Amino acid sequence: MSILQLKDINTYYGGIHALKGISISVEKGEIVTLIGSNGAGKSTTLKTISGQVLPKTGSVIYEGKDISKQPAHITAQTGIAHVPEGRRIFPRLTVKENLEMGAFIVKDKKVIKERMEQVFDYFPRLRERLTQKGGTMSGGEQQMLAMGRALMSKPSLLLLDEPSMGLAPVIVEQIFDIISDLNKEGMTILLVEQNAFQALQIANRGYVLQTGEIVMAGQGNELITNESVREAYLA
Ligand code: ATP
């Protein structure tokens, strides 16, 4: 069953037509990746799903419900967690406080503690740095914190925008491994990446975006070997 469907989405920023009839689907348990050049509309697609920008036409169906006009703060409480490009952690708050913010609607301290323990299973580094201010963490650690904070809301769908951006290759490997592990444990993931090769390697399926349109779709391993994808994005 599709957990998420975008049907003929058109999103504008004023006069800029950023998404031109985007239709995609994500099945439960999949990793689906969106690849494409700068400005293709990848981030806008995630923002349209999480409600940060509203589509002008078309629908976003999540768990069978039309959420196209739903504001971001409601969507965040109903199982979609969005880890934005550039992490956007709270730099002056500690690691622990950042994680708590991810579960701010949960009142039960025991539940919060349990969720934090689950986050530490994926990101042991965060446990070691509980009292460190978010802003003093390394780029990779901040990415882990941003993902950990998202997991604190116990999402059913995780939207990841460029998690590998600006990170050293060895850290990128770690982040991709963790994304794979999360998925193996059942998390459904929609992953936006510039790093198309690594994204397609871990994804079940992928879509290629170009100036606001889907120009190709297929299994991850099909796209990796596709000649035009290789030329444009994997060179
Ligand atoms: P990148 O990897 O560079 O972030 P992207 O594929 O995620 O690229 P988007 O950020 O979704 O692309 O941008 C899609 C288009 O919308 C681009 O032409 C961009 O300039 C435009 N755009 C994005 N955000 C805004 C905004 N806040 N106001 C006006 N135009 C915007």
Side-chain angles (χ1 to χ4, degrees):
M1 183 189 127
S2 292
I3 188 169
L4 180 78
Q5 272 183 299
L6 268 58
K7 295 184 184 165
D8 203 13
I9 291 287
N10 285 279
T11 299
Y12 291 79
Y13 295 104
I16 296 167
H17 194 177
L19 301 183
K20 303 169 185 163
I22 295 281
S23 296
I24 67 171
S25 68
V26 180
E27 308 299 311
K28 275 201 174 122
E30 277 191 314
I31 299 182
V32 173
T33 187
L34 301 179
I35 61 173
S37 321
N38 284 329
K42 305 179 299 295
S43 298
T44 303
T45 303
L46 296 192
K47 288 177 185 167
T48 304
I49 297 165
S50 64
Q52 285 171 36
V53 298
L54 297 182
K56 189 166 187 190
T57 61
S59 40
V60 179
I61 313 286
Y62 169 65
E63 299 271 28
K65 186 175 164 231
D66 191 332
I67 60 162
S68 328
K69 300 285 183 278
Q70 185 167 280
H73 69 279
I74 305 291
T75 302
Q77 291 173 24
T78 53
I80 300 182
H82 184 171
V83 182
E85 190 173 332
R87 354 277 189 212
R88 307 270 175 84
I89 51 133
F90 302 106
R92 288 162 193 273
L93 299 187
T94 65
V95 167
K96 182 161 182 272
E97 289 161 345
N98 267 279
L99 292 175
E100 285 166 351
M101 293 297 269
F104 75 97
I105 58 163
V106 180
K107 297 289 167 256
D108 188 337
K109 290 222 162 66
K110 194 167 149 254
V111 173
I112 294 175
K113 193 154 191 311
E114 277 167 15
R115 289 191 188 176
M116 227 180 259
E117 287 301 323
Q118 288 165 357
V119 167
F120 297 149
D121 288 343
Y122 290 105
F123 305 105
R125 177 68 59 89
L126 297 181
R127 190 204 299 276
E128 297 161 17
R129 302 298 175 93
L130 267 188
T131 57
Q132 186 173 335
K133 294 259 193 304
T136 65
M137 308 266 281
S138 71
E141 289 165 349
Q142 290 193 22
Q143 182 59 43
M144 293 175 192
L145 181 55
M147 288 169 67
R149 185 180 59 185
L151 293 177
M152 289 295 289
S153 69
K154 265 258 172 223
S156 345
L157 174 63
L158 192 56
L159 309 177
L160 299 177
D161 197 345
E162 306 267 9
S164 78
M165 191 158 65
L167 303 181
V170 49
I171 312 291
V172 172
E173 288 293 337
Q174 283 178 19
I175 296 288
F176 275 100
D177 284 348
I178 292 165
I179 295 170
S180 272
D181 289 347
L182 277 165
N183 176 253
K184 284 187 194 120
E185 301 288 328
M187 182 66 69
T188 308
I189 297 167
L190 181 56
L191 169 67
V192 160
E193 262 300 335
Q194 290 269 344
N195 203 329
F197 184 69
Q198 268 161 311
L200 288 170
Q201 273 185 323
I202 62 164
N204 299 94
R205 291 186 300 115
Y207 293 92
V208 181
L209 260 87
Q210 202 178 302
T211 54
E213 291 176 277
I214 307 269
V215 292
M216 212 180 299
Q219 306 287 325
N221 51 11
E222 278 169 20
L223 291 175
I224 268 186
T225 51
N226 180 285
E227 206 46 51
S228 51
V229 172
R230 293 185 79 88
E231 259 172 43
Y233 307 105
L234 306 176

